[in-house]
Each structure stands twice: as C-alpha cells, then as structure tokens.
Amino acid sequence: MTGEYHFRTASDLGREQTELLQEMLDEPTHRLVEPAARPGARCLEIGAGSGSIARWLAERGASVVAVDLDTEHLTGLPGVTVLQHDINDGVPPGGPFDLIHARAVLMHLQRREHVLRELAGALAPGGMLALGEVALHNPPRVLAAPEPGDVEVFLRVLGQAKEAFSGANGMSFDWGFEVDGHLAAGLADVRSRLFSEPLVGGSTQGRYVHNLAVQLSPGLLARGAAEADLDRFCSLFLDPGFRCWYLQFVFSSGVRN
Ligand SMILES: C[S@@+](CC[C@H](N)C(=O)[O-])C[C@H]1O[C@@H](n2cnc3c(N)ncnc32)[C@H](O)[C@@H]1O
C-alpha cells in the first residue's frame, strides 16, 4: 500500500512538515496521551515522523516502538525501538500495547477503518488508542486576502488539489470527524476534541500549509494546474494579509475494557 502517502518524510521538506506539525500539535497531543504515558507502559507510535511524541513518551519511562515508512529522522531516541514498517502490513511486534498513538496518519490510508480495528485489537486491557487527524473547514472561509482575485485562485487550486489527492486518490478530510464513532464501536471512555484557529499567512499553520502546497505542486502542475495560480496559492500562506478558516484538528481516544 506504500504509494498512497503523497509526501516524503525522508526529505528536507518532509522534515520541515513534521517539525511544523510538532510545533502546532505536540501540546494538545501530550494532553491526549498523558493518562497512558506511565513508566513501563508499552507504547506504539505509528507514523512517528521526526519522533517528538516517541521521545516524550520514552522520557516518561515508557517503552516505545516507533514505526514509519521513512525512519531517516528517527535517530537519537533512547528507549525507543525504531522500525521501518507499513502499518497496512499489520501491527508490529511488541504488544499488546498500553498506548497506541498515530497523528495525521490514518487519514492517508485507504484501509483506515480496517487499520483502526486492528489497532484496537492490539491494546492490552486498559490500553488507550489515541488518534489525531487533520480536517478542513468545508468550505474554507477567507477572512482577508491581499489582492483582488486571490480568493478565486485559492478556491480554484484548493479544488484541484482535493480532486488530485483526496478521496479515492488519497487523503480523507472527513475521517477525523468519523473516528469517534469507530472508536465507540469497540472501546470504552471514548472522548474527542476539536481544535481550530484561523490560518494567518506566515504563522505556523500558514508555513505548514505552504510546505504541503510546495510538496504537492509538481503533481498539480502535471495534472494541468496553471503555474501562476500555483505560485500565488503558495505565496498566500506566507503573506500576513491572508487569513482564513482552513485546518481543523480532531483528537480522539478510547480505552479497551
Ligand atoms: C503527516 S506525517 C505525521 C508525522 C507525525 N505523526 C507527526 O504528527 O508529527 C505522516 C507520517 O506517517 C508516515 N506514514 C504514512 N503512511 C504510513 C504507513 N502506511 N505506515 C507507516 N507510516 C506511514 C509518513 O511517512 C509520515 O512520517
């Protein structure tokens, strides 16, 4: 199933992408997984990226297995066993787990519901499955744009990107809102929280979306997007004159009885 992930963590842009995610989301993620982050807990971190959550868990005395398709940035992590592994191929050894966490991973998988059930089945009694997912405001609401015509460019390229890289072609931006129901089908004490703030050009969220847009640009060009549109689209995310409701982050967890 490798090939369904449209980005590449083992690249400079991929590293920047995961570092910006860490900057935006590590704090709420710590709150999400904190109840299970105990000394001696067996933890599985899926799609570990640059490893900040795996490191945080290990620093709390947990024993951590961290897996990713690309493990290039998962170095210098005492207490963490790093495995190059595609989660579509099943749960890696080391379980049953007291905590399984994945952030911005299952939304990229075509078999995300199946994988979620497998992960729930790999929990120890009392173990927690915790997922963070990225969703979009639908439609996004532009609050301020630097130039006339920017809103049209933004919506046009966004439409092209969604068509090229979401649904049957990759990511789901609805999945985050569906996770709670899937967790409730098999786990107890299911909780979900939604977090969002406006994207302001040049902010961490702005730089994150700029990074994604740059990574996806060659694919969009190949599918016929106009180069001038793409350049303007990318630059909006770095311009403090651009503000819009764009990303939402959904954090969910459930516990095995
Ligand atoms: C958007 S990044 C998120 C990284 C990290 N979880 C974070 O939030 O900072 C998604 C990560 O999942 C990894 N990934 C994607 N598909 C995967 C799969 N099928 N199995 C394992 N890892 C996967 C990617 O290589 C990438 O590092």
Side-chain angles (χ1 to χ4, degrees):
M1 276 285 185
T2 41
E4 64 188 351
Y5 186 60
H6 291 297
F7 307 95
R8 204 167 71 81
T9 297
S11 67
D12 290 346
L13 279 168
R15 174 158 207 138
E16 183 192 56
Q17 175 191 355
T18 55
E19 287 176 351
L20 288 166
L21 263 179
Q22 292 175 183
E23 208 176 308
M24 281 190 292
L25 300 182
D26 274 8
E27 238 180 77
T29 301
H30 295 163
R31 283 198 293 277
L32 176 75
V33 301
E34 201 269 331
R38 292 183 299 271
R42 289 155 300 171
C43 300
L44 172 61
E45 171 70 3
I46 299 162
S50 291
S52 65
I53 297 301
R55 174 180 292 108
W56 188 85
L57 292 169
E59 283 169 358
R60 267 141 200 85
S63 110
V64 184
V65 177
V67 305
D68 202 296
L69 296 175
D70 282 330
T71 55
E72 188 175 304
H73 307 311
L74 298 174
T75 54
L77 295 170
V80 179
T81 303
V82 175
L83 299 175
Q84 184 175 29
H85 179 75
D86 183 339
I87 199 61
N88 286 302
D89 294 337
V91 180
F97 295 98
D98 301 303
L99 171 66
I100 300 179
H101 171 251
R103 186 172 72 194
V105 181
L106 271 67
M107 59 176 292
H108 294 280
L109 309 180
Q110 289 299 312
R111 293 166 65 244
R112 53 187 76 88
E113 290 179 30
H114 172 83
V115 170
L116 183 148
R117 282 193 296 276
E118 282 196 340
L119 297 178
L123 291 171
M128 172 191 279
L129 174 57
L131 299 176
E133 302 290 353
V134 182
L136 296 184
H137 282 273
N138 191 14
R141 200 173 295 268
V142 178
L143 306 168
E147 302 285 343
D150 281 344
V151 176
E152 289 72 19
V153 171
F154 171 71
L155 293 175
R156 184 159 59 241
V157 178
L158 187 59
Q160 292 165 333
K162 276 183 168 173
E163 194 179 322
F165 300 115
S166 70
N169 296 324
M171 294 171 261
S172 169
F173 297 111
D174 298 323
W175 167 248
F177 298 113
E178 293 164 10
V179 167
D180 186 278
H182 291 290
L183 293 177
L187 299 176
D189 198 17
V190 173
R191 296 162 192 237
S192 292
R193 295 272 184 287
L194 181 63
F195 166 74
S196 186
E197 60 186 2
L199 181 156
V200 180
S203 64
T204 308
Q205 188 187 156
R207 288 184 292 130
Y208 176 68
V209 177
H210 175 263
N211 175 293
L212 303 184
V214 170
Q215 291 196 65
L216 296 179
S217 282
L220 286 169
L221 267 180
R223 287 170 178 79
E227 198 166 349
D229 269 8
L230 278 175
D231 288 349
R232 187 65 195 150
F233 182 75
C234 290
S235 65
L236 285 175
F237 301 116
L238 300 181
D239 188 328
F242 184 70
R243 302 177 75 90
C244 73
W245 285 108
Y246 189 60
L247 296 185
Q248 307 189 70
F249 303 102
V250 191
F251 298 93
S252 302
S253 63
V255 172
R256 180 167 182 180
N257 275 326

